[in-house]
Every structure is written in C-alpha cells, then in structure tokens.
Amino acid sequence: MEKKYQLAIEARENAYAVYSNFKVGACVVLKNGEFVIGSNIENSSYGLTNCAERSALFASYSLGYRQRDIEEIIVCTNNEIPSSPCGACRQVIYELMEKEAKVTLINPRLENTISLKVKDLLPLGFDGDKLNEA
Ligand code: THU
C-alpha cells in the first residue's frame, strides 16, 4: 500500500474521539514528498472539536507550508463508503489548498475510494478574492 494511505489509516489511531467514537485520520501530501498527519480531536464542549482534515492542514501551515506546497489530502474513516469532509472543513480546505489539488477519501481497506478536486468539494466557494471586491 502507498505510504500516504498507510499514514492516513494510522492517523485514525491518534484520534481523540471519546465522545463520538468516530475516528478520522488525515494525511497532507506535500509536493516535496513529505507528509503531515492529523486526527480528529474532540472536546467536552463539542463545538470546539477539530476535525482530522483541519488538524492536518493547520499542522502543515504551522510548519510553514502553504497552498502551493500541498498536492493532496487523504481522509480516512472506517465507513464502507468513505465519509466526506464536513462543511467547516470544506471551507478550510478551499482556503488552504489550491483549487485543483486532490482530495481523496478512503477507508482502511481501500474500498470505494473517492477522489475529487478541491473546487468540486465546495462549488461556488467563498475565499479572499471575494473580499477584495468590496
Ligand atoms: N470528523 C472529522 O474529523 N472529519 C470529518 O470529515 C467528519 C467528522 C470528526 C469530528 C468528530 O470528532 C467526529 O468526526 C464526529 O463528527
């Protein structure tokens, strides 16, 4: 199995999902060949939960990487049909990744893998360009 999938699968093991028990792993694939993983981190104040996609992207940016450095994000759930990012994560992905970059949704068995582009994950998305028109 390709390393990027293995890392996204393994990242599920780091999930702090004590309330939902729904473990999600993510792996940001960088153009320089490196990887940054993230997991969902829940909170007793539920709304403060951070999804795996945002954890991985925020970690990538915290390391100094930016849109142009990111090739793909892999998201791993245990669903038979791999689950897709929530609305909040779609907005963050739209801001922090290039519109043509890849989003790949997997499960640990690599069944029913779904692959799409950022621009197709959030049609008519809002970003900083719109703010500049004000
Ligand atoms: N979650 C993610 O980490 N990513 C998704 O794409 C969907 C939802 C998390 C948030 C929460 O910890 C749990 O899954 C249930 O919603």
Side-chain angles (χ1 to χ4, degrees), residues 114-128:
I114 298 165
S115 190
L116 70 170
K117 289 183 175 182
V118 168
K119 66 178 183 189
D120 298 320
L121 192 65
L122 188 65
L124 304 176
F126 183 82
D127 66 10

Side-chain angles (χ1 to χ4, degrees), residues 11-112:
R12 284 188 68 239
E13 292 164 23
N14 298 333
Y16 178 72
V18 291
Y19 301 105
S20 72
N21 208 29
F22 188 75
K23 297 182 176 185
V24 188
C27 177
V28 167
V29 181
L30 297 166
K31 292 179 186 171
N32 70 3
E34 292 185 40
F35 304 96
V36 182
I37 58 170
S39 312
N40 54 326
I41 308 297
E42 297 188 345
N43 193 281
S44 52
S45 179
Y46 295 164
L48 298 182
T49 292
N50 216 52
C51 293
E53 298 90 320
R54 279 179 284 147
S55 295
L57 282 168
F58 293 161
S60 302
Y61 269 64
S62 299
L63 289 167
Y65 297 110
R66 292 292 179 265
Q67 260 200 8
R68 62 180 173 279
D69 304 310
I70 300 174
E71 187 168 290
E72 182 179 7
I73 187 168
I74 318 280
V75 185
C76 180
T77 56
N78 197 30
N79 297 46
E80 188 186 341
I81 305 293
S83 175
S84 65
C86 74
C89 285
R90 288 173 197 230
Q91 178 66 32
V92 171
I93 288 169
Y94 196 81
E95 173 96 18
L96 300 186
M97 291 176 64
E98 291 176 333
K99 308 293 177 270
E100 297 291 330
K102 271 176 70 178
V103 179
T104 304
L105 313 175
I106 67 167
N107 68 25
R109 301 162 297 283
L110 297 184
E111 305 158 334
N112 306 308

